[in-house]
Amino acid sequence: MKTRVILVGIGGATCSGKTTLAKHLRRILPNSVIVHQDDFAPPQELVPVHPVYGVQDWDRAEGAIEWPRMVKALEEVKRTGVIPPEHVSHDHLNEQKDIPIDDTVFQKWKSQFERIEEEYRAKGEEIKWVLVDGFLLYWYPEVVDKLDYRIFLRVPYEVLKQRRHDRHGYHTAVQSDPEGSLWRDPPNYWEQIVWPAYVEAHAGMLENGDVERGKSNGRVEGLVLFDGLELSMSEMVGRVCAVLEDGITGSSSS
């Protein structure tokens, strides 16, 4: 039995709904796992201090992720379809807000991908899905190159700001300290650190550098952009499943 590993990138700003979307897809797609980009953050003592505001900057792309470690992990997952045993996730420590989807949507797509899985197995091929979610997913070319699908969720500034404010914090656990500590945003952290870093990391892939309204400019090849407020989570799941179905059924007949 051959194994085919498909990496699905699900990117977007903090609080855009990307992790929620990834978790719904994991329930639908057979043989699927999630790799969280947050798990590749450096140890807290190595996070850079912002040169102007004097606080740790967890968001600027250069220092927010240990990029070579993430690339190596994705290469391993792509080769095996299994998350490396030494990789420890801390996502379960973070606040998990439940945003359910319609059961009819769930059942429709679960059945559809189970059928697709059976068709591939009958031809001697096992499909494994790896969902990669992250707030800087399309900044580092070597990460982008590993992704077979590139989904991007966009949500307006004010909505993201409110969602971030409503969160109680983020656990900053790393591989050497799986429990880590809770990070709470200092005053004005959203305005001074989070949003400017998001704009800096994403302006180059959208027309006119407009992260709220600009279309993909083609810099990230194959980017599929969804405006998060225009779709319910059920609709979002359905749209992404349709993209994946179209890609995998098209490739099987070619």
Side-chain angles (χ1 to χ4, degrees):
M1 183 78 69
K2 285 173 50 182
T3 299
R4 179 179 175 190
V5 182
I6 301 172
L7 270 59
V8 181
I10 303 173
T14 174
C15 303
S16 61
K18 60 191 179 300
T19 303
T20 300
L21 173 60
K23 289 178 178 179
H24 283 304
L25 293 173
R26 181 179 59 188
R27 292 174 57 228
I28 288 170
L29 298 169
N31 298 323
S32 60
V33 295
I34 300 179
V35 174
H36 301 283
Q37 187 176 43
D38 287 356
D39 292 327
F40 299 95
Q44 187 163 0
E45 65 271 16
L46 297 182
V47 174
V49 173
H50 195 281
V52 175
Y53 300 113
V55 298
Q56 284 191 301
D57 185 347
W58 290 89
D59 287 82
R60 194 162 190 265
E62 287 84 350
I65 300 296
E66 292 183 330
W67 295 102
R69 182 162 66 90
M70 184 174 182
V71 170
K72 183 179 178 182
L74 292 182
E75 288 174 344
E76 178 73 5
V77 173
K78 182 73 173 176
R79 186 176 63 83
T80 65
V82 178
I83 296 175
E86 67 273 13
H87 179 78
V88 178
S89 178
H90 67 272
D91 177 72
H92 64 284
L93 299 173
N94 288 316
E95 184 180 359
Q96 309 286 324
K97 186 175 182 180
D98 185 33
I99 303 177
I101 62 171
D102 295 340
D103 191 58
T104 52
V105 172
F106 169 74
Q107 295 296 344
K108 169 191 172 182
W109 287 109
K110 185 173 175 61
S111 298
Q112 186 74 331
F113 280 101
E114 286 173 349
R115 181 187 61 77
I116 291 170
E117 179 195 30
E118 290 171 3
E119 290 175 357
Y120 269 85
R121 290 186 70 85
K123 295 185 290 185
E125 191 169 18
E126 181 181 32
I127 301 296
K128 293 189 176 183
W129 300 90
V130 179
L131 306 160
V132 187
D133 88 321
F135 70 113
L136 291 168
L137 208 53
Y138 303 116
W139 182 79
Y140 198 73
E142 285 186 77
V143 167
V144 177
D145 289 346
K146 301 287 182 289
L147 304 173
D148 299 296
Y149 294 88
R150 296 153 189 175
I151 309 295
F152 185 65
L153 308 190
R154 183 163 58 187
V155 175
Y157 173 94
E158 290 296 340
V159 175
L160 293 172
K161 179 181 177 180
Q162 186 60 49
R163 290 179 182 176
R164 177 85 177 204
H165 175 76
D166 291 342
R167 279 200 171 170
H168 297 125
Y170 289 84
H171 278 270
T172 60
V174 294
Q175 306 302 296
S176 58
D177 180 16
E179 295 306 312
S181 57
L182 185 67
W183 163 267
R184 297 184 186 277
D185 290 347
N188 302 312
Y189 191 76
W190 168 264
E191 297 86 350
Q192 295 173 345
I193 307 289
V194 178
W195 183 254
Y198 170 72
V199 172
E200 181 182 12
H202 295 87
M205 68 183 212
L206 299 167
E207 289 182 353
N208 303 315
D210 187 347
V211 299
E212 294 206 81
R213 290 169 294 275
K215 297 178 181 179
S216 172
N217 61 13
R219 181 174 172 181
V220 175
E221 186 178 351
L223 189 71
V224 181
L225 195 156
F226 294 111
D227 285 301
L229 288 193
E230 295 179 3
L231 300 168
S232 68
M233 184 55 68
S234 294
E235 292 169 326
M236 188 86 69
V237 168
R239 294 278 189 93
V240 175
C241 283
V243 169
L244 302 181
E245 179 197 35
D246 183 60
I248 189 117
T249 55
S251 65
S252 67
S253 59
S254 59

